[in-house]
Amino acid sequence: MSKKELIEKLLERGLLLAPDVIDRISEETPLPKDEKLLYLNTDLLDLSKKIEVNWEEFEKARALLEKKNDSRAYNRFLNYISEELEPEKKVKVMKSYEEISSKKEVRDFTLHFNVRFNALQKILYNRDELKGTTSISRVLAKRDRERVSIIGMVKEKRQTKKGNLMFTVEDPTGEIKVLVNQNKPDLFLEAKDIVLDEVIGISGVNGENIVFANNVLWPDIPMTNQLKRSDEEGYALFISDLHVGSKDFLGKDFDRFIQWLNQETGNERQKAIASKVKYLFILGDLVAGVGVYPNQEEDLTITDLYDQYNEFVDLCKKIPKNIQMIICPGNHDALRVAEPQPPFTNEFTKCLHTLPNTTIVSNPAVINIHTSDDFPGYNILLYHGYSFDYYVANVDSIRNQGGYDRADLIMKFLLKRRHLAPTHTSTQYVPYTDKDPLVVEEIPDIFATGHIHKAAVSKYKNVTLIAASCWEGRTDFQEKVGHHPEPSRVPLVNLQTREVKILRFGK
Ligand SMILES: [Fe+2]
C-alpha cells in the first residue's frame, strides 16, 4: 500500500494525520491484509494519538472524500474531526441520520409502521395502567364483558350521531372499535385531540368488537423526569430560519446579533453573557432556497443557491470562533424535504464545511452538549418543525388556543405522543425499516425547533421547549398561510440554572 493510499484509508476512517506524522510514514508502509486490523496496528494507533487539526490538511482531506462522493464516509470524517480532535468542544452527535439510497417499496412502509408501533408500544408498557395489556385479537375473542387494556395505532376517527367519539385502532393482531363517551368530559376533551396513526393505550370494558374507554394513555414524558443542572457556566443560543437570499432577510438585525456576540454592543452584563455563550444552534432554513413555492424568485435578492449558502457562511464566519455551532437543515434548504433530512453534504452546501467550529447534523437529530467530569451533558432534540403546519390545522386545542402563535402547544402535543410527526400525512418521510427516526425514543433535556418564525419558550415535564424565531420579515406567502412572524428574537438558555430568556435584536 502506498503512502497516499494509506492516508486515504485513514481519512476514510476519520483519522487525519498532522503533516509531521505523515512525513514519518515511509513510502511503502507494510499493512495487515485484513483491513479490520488496521486499527489494531499499534504503530498506527500511536500515530493517530498525535493527530492535531491542521486546517490545510483538513481541506485536502475534505476534498478527497468529496471526490469519492460517499456522503457517509464524508460525514463520519467531519463528525470525527469535530468530536475527537476538539475535545474541549463538548458537542457530541448522539443521533444524526444519513441518507439511505435504496429504492423504497410498499413493504418498507409496512415495516416502518411496525417498527414505529413497537417503539411506542415499548414506551407505553412502562405505564402501570397498561401492565396487563392484551392483544386486540384476544379482546375480540372474549365472550364476557370485563376490564381490558389494549395498545393500538389509530386507524380511523369519527363522531357518532349521538356526539360520542368512535375510533378504530389496530395492532399486529387485529383491529377494534373504541368508544369515548361524551359523558366523561375530561377524557372526551383529551380524546378530541387524538390524530390518525398515533399510538395510544386504552383501558376500558369490552363489548362486541368494541372497547368502551374509561381511560386513554399516551406514551408521554413521565412525571418523574428530572431537571438536570450543570455546575459549569455557559449559555446556549437558538436561531432558525435565516432565509438568506430573501428580499426580506433582516441583515441589519442579524448584524446587531453578531455585534453582541462579539461583545461590541450591549451593557456590561449583556457583554458578560455574550462572553459565556458556548453553543449556537441553527435549526434549518439557512437560506431562502430557490423554487420552494410558486413565484418565489420575486421574493429573492440572491437567486443562486450557491450564492445564498456562500452568503450564509460569510455571516457565520463573523461569529466568534469559541462558539460551537450546530446546524441542521429545514424545508427551504437544498436537500430532500422528506424526513429525516440528511446532513448537508451536496454540491450547493459544501461551503458549510469550511466553518471549522461547526457540527452539521440531520433534521431531526440529537446532540449532547456541555459534559464535564461529573455531568452527563444535556441532550438536545433538534427538529426544524415541518410537521407543525398539519397540527395547527387539524388539532382543535392547538388551533383554538393560538395556532401558529403557540409553538409550545405543538411541541407538548408531539412530546406527549413521543413522535415528531405522528400522522402519516403530516410530513414527508423516508421509511426506515430498522427504526423510525421521528420517534422520540429518549427524553431530551431541551426540545428545540424553528419553522414557524415566532419564538416561544416553555417547559413540559422538565423538558425545556424552545421555538427559535427567524431573520426574515413577514412575506406575502406567510401572510397567506397564517403565520405571524416575530423576527430577530433569540432564545438564550443558561446552562447552569436552566433559565431561558428571549433576546431581541429587532428595532
Ligand atoms: Fe421552515
Side-chain angles (χ1 to χ4, degrees), residues 241 285 331-332 384 451:
D241 298 77
D285 287 0
N331 56 304
H332 277 252
H384 176 68
H451 188 58

Side-chain angles (χ1 to χ4, degrees), residues 19-214:
D20 64 323
V21 179
I22 293 173
D23 288 341
R24 284 176 44 207
I25 304 172
S26 66
E27 271 306 327
E28 288 299 328
T29 304
L31 281 172
K33 278 196 184 124
D34 182 353
E35 282 191 11
K36 284 178 191 156
L37 289 175
L38 197 63
Y39 273 130
L40 303 175
N41 183 307
T42 352
D43 283 351
L44 287 171
L45 279 177
D46 279 343
L47 288 177
S48 67
K49 277 182 196 149
K50 292 178 183 145
I51 287 168
E52 58 183 47
V53 180
N54 173 304
W55 294 113
E56 207 178 304
E57 287 298 309
F58 173 88
E59 262 310 304
K60 277 189 214 162
R62 192 183 60 75
L64 200 71
L65 283 167
E66 206 169 53
K67 240 191 255 164
K68 284 183 175 295
N69 205 16
D70 176 350
S71 67
R72 286 175 195 226
Y74 188 48
N75 260 315
R76 263 204 312 275
F77 163 72
L78 291 166
N79 284 336
Y80 180 83
I81 292 292
S82 42
E83 284 175 21
E84 298 297 324
L85 303 186
E86 294 177 272
E88 76 285 0
K89 188 171 146 180
K90 295 185 179 176
V91 173
K92 287 193 182 71
V93 179
M94 310 302 282
K95 282 185 185 171
S96 177
Y97 301 92
E98 304 292 340
E99 191 150 7
I100 45 166
S101 50
S102 63
K103 208 172 147 241
K104 294 292 152 215
E105 293 165 10
V106 177
R107 191 174 156 269
D108 294 317
F109 283 89
T110 315
L111 286 170
H112 176 85
F113 271 91
N114 281 343
V115 293
R116 179 196 294 192
F117 180 80
N118 291 341
L120 294 168
Q121 184 187 45
K122 205 170 137 199
I123 298 172
L124 278 161
Y125 274 147
N126 291 327
R127 307 286 301 256
D128 283 341
E129 301 93 323
L130 293 172
K131 288 280 189 265
T133 298
T134 21
S135 66
I136 289 177
S137 64
R138 283 190 168 205
V139 175
L140 289 169
K142 282 184 194 292
R143 297 212 174 141
D144 302 323
R145 277 172 81 105
E146 52 187 282
R147 287 186 171 278
V148 292
S149 56
I150 54 170
I151 292 173
M153 191 175 269
V154 179
K155 188 184 172 186
E156 215 172 46
K157 175 187 177 183
R158 65 182 175 89
Q159 199 142 18
T160 66
K161 280 180 192 156
K162 290 182 180 167
N164 299 318
L165 283 168
M166 182 74 89
F167 299 93
T168 305
V169 301
E170 57 183 340
D171 74 2
T173 69
E175 59 179 65
I176 196 165
K177 294 210 176 325
V178 173
L179 186 94
V180 178
N181 198 301
Q182 56 186 325
N183 296 337
K184 298 184 172 75
D186 290 349
L187 178 63
F188 186 78
L189 197 67
E190 256 196 312
K192 272 176 94 171
D193 279 354
I194 289 174
V195 291
L196 295 185
D197 310 319
E198 68 168 289
V199 177
I200 50 175
I202 299 127
S203 61
V205 176
N206 66 305
E208 201 176 325
N209 295 337
I210 195 166
V211 174
F212 299 99
N214 289 326

